[in-house]
């Protein structure tokens, strides 16, 4: 459900008593305190306490604006920072945050606010899910990727480094936030590369949105790109709201990704696993150390969204090899990625067999059978169980430079 006021959109994530609003608009960071105080009003005249986990990579002014707004609304704020890199999304960071929050004697009903990109939201969210068996969480995403994807839907967690390499998001919990506030003004200072990485998740949603109430998201995104790339507030609000509405509809139908083995939820629509479109390839690619979007060492490693873009090309190519998509689809996906300067090929990718082995280690594998999401058109994707190896290899080879 999508409600719109001038320049502020609110999308409801329809999860009954765990349902919540995602508010999207310019200047919401300055109104964070007001929004949190509505949900957690001071009790007995005593200021409410709150634990803020912020991303050490965002401009100081965002942390100052959030802290000031919370203090004006009467909160006593304790804070800790998180480095915004995948290797730091680990059990060590989680343990440190847990010690920090416990030392403030944070109580069960008091909220945690996660201010930052996807790494911060995931690890702070997991901390909120586990501290005292769960405290309320408010997500304040500061990257496009976190706004359209990571902050919505309740997935939290950390990576695990094992003998076979980095296992992405292997340890975690579902913990829905009470509120998500996306201030599009913070996108003005987001580096171009990170902004483009977020657009990869938007293209992903565009390739599956027809079953979730938005048949032309992919083509609208392409037509809106000049304004999106200028980061005009009105168009970024619309972009984020449409993407969040698609994600909310998917999550509302299959909150914990429990749809049957064929990936179809009770509604007859694809379950939450459809959101993994491009991700099984992406996780295998991004966990190869030192890959770079340009081939230059100084640009390594790949950002998650860059790997997702490569994963979309690989999935579209596999889908054609499986006879599920028109042969033109991979090229259309490539053109979309190139229009925002995302990589469509990568140098130094290991042999297809080695990438496939990594894909089989993915936590989404069930009974040793791979489950892949395959775009069938520019709006509809299907889940394929146990695809033939040759089709998956064709996908991997399509992104090799
Ligand atoms: N990012 C995939 C999901 O939330 O299910």
């Amino acid at each position: 459900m999508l409600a719109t006021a001038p320049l502020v959109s609110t999308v409801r994530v329809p999860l009954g008593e765990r349902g919540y609003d995602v508010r999207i608009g310019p200047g919401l960071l300055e109104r964070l305190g007001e929004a949190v105080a509505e949900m957690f009003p001071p009790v007995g005249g005593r200021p409410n306490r709150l634990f803020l986990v912020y991303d050490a990579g965002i401009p100081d002014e965002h942390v100052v604006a959030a802290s000031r707004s919370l203090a004006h609304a009467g909160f006593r704020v304790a804070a800790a920072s998180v480095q915004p890199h995948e290797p730091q999304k680990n059990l060590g960071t989680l343990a440190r945050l847990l010690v920090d929050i416990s030392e403030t004697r944070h109580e069960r009903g008091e909220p945690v606010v996660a201010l930052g990109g996807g790494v911060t939201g995931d690890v702070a969210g997991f901390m909120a899910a586990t501290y005292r068996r769960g405290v309320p969480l408010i997500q304040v995403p500061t990257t496009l990727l976190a706004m359209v994807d990571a902050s919505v839907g309740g997935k939290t967690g950390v990576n695990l480094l094992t003998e076979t390499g980095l296992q992405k998001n292997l340890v975690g919990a579902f913990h829905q936030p009470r509120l998500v506030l996306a201030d599009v003004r913070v996108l003005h200072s987001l580096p171009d590369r990170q902004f483009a990485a977020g657009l990869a998740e938007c293209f992903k949603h565009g390739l599956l949105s027809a079953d979730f109430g938005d048949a032309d998201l992919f083509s609208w995104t392409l037509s809106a790109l000049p304004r999106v790339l200028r980061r005009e507030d009105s168009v970024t609000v619309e972009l984020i709201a449409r993407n969040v509405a698609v994600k909310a509809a998917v999550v509302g139908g299959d909150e914990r990704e429990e749809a049957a083995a064929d990936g179809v939820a009770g509604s007859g629509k694809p379950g939450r696993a459809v959101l993994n479109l491009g991700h099984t390839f992406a996780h295998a690619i991004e966990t190869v150390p030192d890959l770079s979007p340009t081939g230059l060492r100084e640009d390594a490693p790949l950002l998650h969204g860059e790997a997702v873009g490569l994963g979309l090309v690989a999935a579209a190519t596999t889908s054609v090899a499986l006879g599920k998509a028109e042969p033109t689809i991979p090229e259309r996906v490539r053109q979309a990625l190139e229009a925002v300067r995302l990589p469509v090929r990568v140098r130094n990718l290991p042999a297809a067999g080695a990438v496939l082995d990594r894909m089989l280690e993915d936590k989404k594998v069930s009974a040793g059978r791979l489950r892949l999401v395959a775009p069938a058109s520019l709006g509809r994707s299907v889940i394929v169980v146990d695809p033939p190896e040759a089709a998956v290899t064709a996908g991997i080879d399509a992104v090799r430079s």
Side-chain angles (χ1 to χ4, degrees):
M1 200 210 306
L2 199 150
T4 309
L7 270 197
V8 177
S9 277
T10 301
V11 180
R12 182 86 188 156
V13 181
L15 290 172
E17 59 184 21
R18 284 185 311 289
Y20 51 95
D21 285 346
V22 181
R23 272 183 229 158
I24 306 136
L28 294 184
L29 211 48
E30 280 80 22
R31 284 151 56 191
L32 171 64
E34 205 183 296
V36 180
E38 269 170 34
M39 310 185 88
F40 300 94
V43 183
R46 174 174 151 237
N48 256 348
R49 294 186 315 172
L50 172 154
F51 195 74
L52 173 70
V53 182
Y54 66 91
D55 183 326
I58 64 175
D60 287 348
E61 69 197 71
H62 300 332
V63 184
V64 170
S67 310
R68 195 173 280 159
S69 168
L70 289 163
H72 278 167
F75 287 98
R76 230 171 52 217
V77 180
S81 65
V82 169
Q83 291 298 328
H85 313 297
E86 281 292 329
Q88 269 83 51
K89 199 175 105 177
N90 61 25
L91 290 170
T93 303
L94 173 70
R96 178 177 57 76
L97 288 179
L98 285 167
V99 170
D100 286 351
I101 193 171
S102 67
E103 285 177 352
T104 70
R105 299 179 194 275
H106 192 93
E107 290 177 10
R108 192 118 190 249
E110 296 171 335
V112 166
V113 173
L115 172 69
V119 168
T120 304
D122 280 6
V123 68
F126 191 32
M127 189 267 278
T130 48
Y131 177 68
R132 292 185 187 265
R133 298 199 182 89
V135 294
L137 171 67
I138 289 152
Q139 292 276 14
V140 188
T142 58
T143 62
L144 181 60
L145 189 139
M147 289 180 187
V148 297
D149 186 20
S151 64
V152 179
K155 281 190 179 176
T156 70
V158 295
N159 305 322
L160 202 64
L161 189 60
T162 68
E163 277 180 2
T164 50
L166 192 71
Q167 310 288 321
K168 289 261 308 178
N169 304 327
L170 193 67
V171 183
F174 286 97
H175 189 58
Q176 298 294 345
R178 299 286 183 89
L179 175 70
V180 181
L181 276 194
D183 182 346
V184 294
R185 271 197 204 139
V186 306
L187 297 177
H188 297 179
S189 55
L190 191 68
D192 289 348
R193 193 173 156 193
Q194 286 208 33
F195 191 78
L199 287 168
E201 295 284 3
C202 298
F203 291 133
K204 177 195 82 175
H205 287 145
L207 288 169
L208 56 86
S209 55
D211 284 315
F212 302 97
D214 196 345
D216 71 346
L217 180 58
F218 193 89
S219 58
W220 175 82
T221 307
L222 286 182
S223 66
L225 271 184
R227 295 179 61 211
V228 167
L229 293 173
R230 286 199 298 273
R231 307 188 198 179
E232 289 178 19
D233 289 345
S234 59
V235 79
T236 50
V237 169
E238 183 172 357
L239 175 77
I240 296 161
R242 286 177 72 157
N243 277 274
V244 169
V246 169
K247 178 146 189 188
V250 177
V251 170
D254 180 20
E255 180 185 3
R256 297 172 71 97
E257 211 168 309
E258 287 169 337
D262 63 1
V264 177
S267 59
K269 294 180 180 174
R272 184 166 180 163
V274 78
L275 295 175
N276 298 325
L277 172 57
H279 280 62
T280 312
F281 290 102
H283 287 168
I285 294 170
E286 72 190 310
T287 51
V288 177
D290 299 330
L291 293 187
S292 156
T294 56
L296 298 173
R297 186 178 276 271
E298 66 254 36
D299 292 329
L302 287 172
L303 299 178
H304 174 65
E306 291 168 340
V308 168
L310 293 165
L312 295 179
V313 174
T317 307
T318 298
S319 192
V320 173
L322 292 169
K324 296 203 174 290
E326 293 288 321
T328 53
I329 300 289
E331 191 50 30
R332 301 284 299 276
V333 173
R334 255 187 228 108
Q335 284 166 358
L337 299 171
E338 282 173 338
V340 301
R341 310 178 83 161
L342 279 165
V344 297
R345 285 185 191 80
V346 65
R347 277 192 215 153
N348 302 325
L349 195 63
V355 178
L356 192 58
D357 285 347
R358 281 177 184 262
M359 291 172 72
L360 286 165
E361 279 166 17
D362 195 272
K363 64 185 184 306
K364 302 286 167 12
V365 168
S366 154
R369 297 190 313 164
L370 199 58
R371 258 197 330 178
L372 270 190
V373 188
S377 66
L378 296 175
R380 186 159 276 121
S381 292
V382 294
I383 292 165
V384 183
V385 181
D386 218 3
E389 196 174 312
V392 183
T393 300
I396 297 166
D397 286 338
V399 296
R400 182 188 306 287
S401 177

